[in-house]
Amino acid sequence: IWNVVTWWYGIPSSSSHALIGGIVGAVMAKAGAGALLAGGVWKTVAFILVSPLLGFLLGSLLMVAVAWLFRDTRPQRVDSSFRRLQLVSAGMYSLGHGGNDAQKTIGIIWMLLIATGYASAADKLPPLWVIWSCYSAIALGTMFGGWRIVKTMGQKITKLKPVGGFCAETGGAMTLFLATALGIPVSTTHTITGAIVGVGSVRRASAVRWGVAGNIVWAWIFTIPASALIAGAFYYVGLWAFR
């Protein structure tokens, strides 16, 4: 529900944090805050700040490096080259997206299967159909949905040229690869937003539409509590409906 609301208004919120908020809200409604594992929750909350800052840093550093390396090259040639290179950076970022985001959905489905007796907690991997279903769904969702969000990211934060898109995607991908290697669930949305702002701010501070960026940050702040409230409410609705 939170994803649909933010999609409708074209706000790039975090699906990852909506899932985490949903788990937190459902657990607290069912068993109270004592049933939560604080270490996992706070690690996720900490990276609400860390992932966009790291994306910002890597995106801006890459933009500076590329500008220095190609300082004597004609702009048309730079534009043409990075249109092709952006296919590589987009592929890297997509790989990082699936490597981090899809795993969260797989984990939640696996948790439900274990809780209901359809899988064993001793299993080393979730069922293969869960893995394929999650990857197929995330690929189809990326292909067919979210165009309002695409417009916000590509046009409303800052004007991106192919070289800027390449630097933002590469910086975001590096952040995601690092987080995935460390086993930390981060928001791909937060990461790429930070990288895009970093790329835009290298040109000049006024190149970034800070009002749009501020709205996105507010959505980040509200995502976990809003989705937790919705999940808690639906827990009680479920109790009432199936009493």
Side-chain angles (χ1 to χ4, degrees):
I1 288 174
W2 181 251
N3 274 345
V4 170
V5 170
T6 52
W7 163 80
W8 180 259
Y9 289 102
I11 300 171
S13 68
S14 170
S15 300
S16 305
H17 292 150
L19 280 173
I20 291 163
I23 294 175
V24 168
V27 168
M28 290 183 69
K30 171 73 167 64
L36 295 171
L37 299 177
V41 174
W42 286 115
K43 180 168 65 174
T44 303
V45 170
F47 268 78
I48 291 176
L49 294 175
V50 173
S51 62
L53 289 175
L54 189 55
F56 178 95
L57 179 64
L58 292 174
S60 57
L61 288 176
L62 283 167
M63 190 67 183
V64 170
V66 167
W68 186 82
L69 288 170
F70 291 89
R71 63 191 183 281
D72 296 325
T73 308
R74 287 185 297 110
Q76 286 183 335
R77 186 174 177 184
V78 172
D79 190 71
S80 176
S81 298
F82 278 93
R83 283 182 188 275
R84 296 183 180 91
L85 286 171
Q86 202 174 357
L87 295 173
V88 177
S89 63
M92 289 170 56
Y93 187 76
S94 296
L95 188 63
H97 182 201
N100 199 288
D101 265 29
Q103 312 308 316
K104 306 175 188 93
T105 313
I106 293 169
I108 289 173
I109 295 173
W110 195 14
M111 176 186 71
L112 293 171
L113 291 174
I114 292 169
T116 52
Y118 287 96
S120 170
D123 293 342
K124 291 184 178 180
L125 289 171
L128 195 60
W129 67 266
V130 174
I131 298 171
W132 281 107
S133 297
C134 290
Y135 275 112
S136 298
I138 206 168
L140 290 170
T142 303
M143 184 180 294
F144 294 114
W147 296 113
R148 295 169 188 257
I149 294 169
V150 170
K151 188 174 181 181
T152 299
M153 300 297 286
Q155 299 178 16
K156 293 185 178 180
I157 297 175
T158 189
K159 292 293 183 183
L160 282 176
K161 293 183 177 180
V163 63
F166 170 84
C167 293
E169 289 163 353
T170 304
M174 291 166 66
T175 304
L176 292 177
F177 291 151
L178 175 63
T180 301
L182 295 173
I184 300 170
V186 298
S187 167
T188 52
T189 309
H190 292 194
T191 303
I192 195 64
T193 303
I196 289 172
V197 171
V199 165
S201 61
V202 165
R203 290 162 52 205
R204 61 185 185 278
S206 60
V208 178
R209 294 189 177 95
W210 296 104
V212 175
N215 290 338
I216 293 170
V217 171
W218 278 114
W220 295 354
I221 293 169
F222 286 121
T223 291
I224 290 180
S227 52
L229 284 171
I230 293 169
F234 268 85
Y235 172 77
Y236 290 111
V237 168
L239 287 182
W240 175 80
F242 296 101
R243 67 187 187 280

